[in-house]
Amino acid sequence: MTFYEHRAEAREMAARWLAGYQEHVPLHAADLDVACALSMLRRLTMLGWATTHREDALPADLWAENQPGTVEVAARYLADPLWLVRP
């Protein structure tokens, strides 16, 4: 999901991600809190990584969306930390 969280398909991707985990173990509310927080931390970390690996980090379309997309995802997360997993 990294680099795609700002796109329309992000919630469906997250649902599939969590469904894969739930095939092996049940997930609880606290697990969802952690999953969403980890997704946000990964997005922020990868913003920094992509900046230092600019030429090979991302396809051009994702590169152009990376910084504004990260700001958008962070705003969503701050408004509702579980936005990514809400239907």
Side-chain angles (χ1 to χ4, degrees):
M1 275 187 346
T2 302
F3 301 117
Y4 288 88
E5 300 95 332
H6 64 285
R7 290 191 170 180
E9 62 267 25
R11 286 185 176 170
E12 182 178 337
M13 293 170 74
R16 290 180 183 194
W17 173 48
L18 295 173
Y21 276 99
Q22 290 176 345
E23 289 179 9
H24 302 283
V25 295
L27 295 176
H28 305 286
D31 299 322
L32 296 179
D33 290 341
V34 170
C36 291
L38 289 175
S39 178
M40 184 71 250
L41 287 171
R42 171 110 173 133
R43 179 70 186 231
L44 292 171
T45 300
M46 295 309 292
L47 175 66
W49 178 84
T51 301
T52 61
H53 294 77
R54 191 172 192 165
E55 290 185 23
D56 63 346
L58 297 167
D61 63 327
L62 282 177
W63 175 255
E65 298 172 7
N66 192 31
Q67 186 175 8
T70 301
V71 171
E72 180 180 334
V73 169
R76 289 180 190 173
Y77 181 81
L78 291 173
D80 177 7
L82 294 176
W83 77 271
L84 189 58
V85 297
R86 293 201 197 280

